[in-house]
Amino acid sequence: AAGVIQSPRHLIKEKRETATLKCYPIPRHDTVYWYQQGPGQDPQFLISFYEKMQSDKGSIPDRFSAQQFSDYHSELNMSSLELGDSALYFCASSPQGYNGELFFGEGSRLTVL
Amino acid sequence: DAKTTQPNSMESNEEEPVHLPCNHSTISGTDYIHWYRQLPSQGPEYVIHGLTSNVNNRMASLAIAEDRKSSTLILHRATLRDAAVYYCILRDTFNKFYFGSGTKLNVKP
């Protein structure tokens, strides 16, 4: 069965550069969540989308933005990267409704030098 | 925003049952109780979820207290592959899904 696809899996950037992470949800899933997980930390919720509209916003820095496109894939854009942005970024998708499970991707590891 | 409380760590012997507790005293009537686990450098993996009744699947069982203020994830026979961080999460009608501090399960051979 198709899973949540995240790309790239690994990304190395310099400070002050920009990065874009992509997430392709499972077909027919209309809800996407983004999480950031620093070393030794629990996943922190960043932002979520339902039917291409932002549905909830967590601890996402102003330097970050995200959107969900008409094909339901989502992109997380990060600008003016800082060393502290180095983390694993997970995307999860879920079908319509709140009583189902979330399906997580393998994550994108961002390293900022 | 974490609305669940779990022990930081637990230890189990291989092939013995494991009971992982979670307190969620502020749960609302429509919140679903979800459990996920995460291995190092991997995405969280769904384990089980429920609303009011106890639930069983091939991975685990979920026992929900009658007042729903707590729940217990039961691994019937722990294996070394079950060593992971286990998260108890409430999912509400607004689709909020926040991780708290999970329980790191260590399984001893």
Side-chain angles (χ1 to χ4, degrees):
Chain A
V4 176
I5 305 297
Q6 291 188 244
S7 68
R9 294 293 312 280
H10 301 273
L11 190 60
I12 299 175
K13 290 287 185 177
E14 299 278 343
K15 278 172 46 178
R16 292 180 287 278
E17 286 191 319
T18 61
T20 297
L21 305 181
K22 298 183 179 183
C23 171
Y24 297 88
I26 292 171
R28 290 181 296 281
H29 283 196
D30 55 13
T31 304
V32 168
Y33 297 80
W34 283 98
Y35 295 87
Q36 177 192 59
Q37 188 171 29
Q41 303 293 313
D42 302 306
Q44 296 296 312
F45 170 71
L46 292 178
I47 196 167
S48 63
F49 293 89
Y50 168 64
E51 278 292 341
K52 292 156 280 184
M53 300 287 289
Q54 180 181 307
S55 56
D56 192 15
K57 194 171 182 180
S59 50
I60 184 170
D62 292 339
R63 300 177 289 107
F64 292 10
S65 64
Q67 58 181 321
Q68 186 178 31
F69 294 85
S70 58
D71 64 352
Y72 295 101
H73 94 273
S74 179
E75 295 184 4
L76 178 66
N77 299 294
M78 300 173 283
S79 62
S80 303
L81 287 171
E82 301 174 357
L83 297 178
D85 297 329
S86 296
L88 263 173
Y89 290 82
F90 291 107
C91 168
S93 76
S94 177
Q96 185 179 17
Y98 75 102
N99 57 351
E101 66 203 74
L102 265 64
F103 295 80
F104 284 82
E106 297 282 336
S108 293
R109 181 175 293 280
L110 171 67
T111 302
V112 182
L113 302 176
Chain B
D1 291 272
K3 298 181 288 186
T4 62
T5 305
Q6 300 177 247
N8 288 333
S9 63
M10 291 185 66
E11 200 164 74
S12 171
N13 294 316
E14 197 176 10
E15 298 193 4
E16 289 186 356
V18 182
H19 291 232
L20 298 167
C22 180
N23 287 319
H24 28 79
S25 58
T26 60
I27 191 171
S28 73
T30 53
D31 287 350
Y32 275 80
I33 302 161
H34 284 242
W35 283 83
Y36 289 72
R37 68 182 185 183
Q38 186 179 29
L39 297 169
S41 297
Q42 293 190 23
E45 174 190 29
Y46 168 80
V47 178
I48 201 167
H49 77 287
L51 183 61
T52 56
S53 303
N54 295 343
V55 184
N56 300 295
N57 66 20
R58 63 175 181 82
M59 289 181 71
S61 295
L62 176 60
I64 301 173
E66 196 169 333
D67 63 3
R68 300 207 331 124
K69 294 182 184 294
S70 66
S71 62
T72 302
L73 178 70
I74 303 165
L75 306 179
H76 296 285
R77 287 184 63 198
T79 69
L80 297 178
R81 293 173 58 184
D82 291 323
V85 178
Y86 287 78
Y87 293 97
C88 167
I89 304 168
L90 302 183
R91 190 177 189 190
D92 66 14
T93 53
F94 299 100
N95 269 328
K96 291 184 184 297
F97 202 85
Y98 297 91
F99 285 80
S101 299
T103 297
K104 184 173 184 178
L105 176 65
N106 180 38
V107 180
K108 297 185 294 182

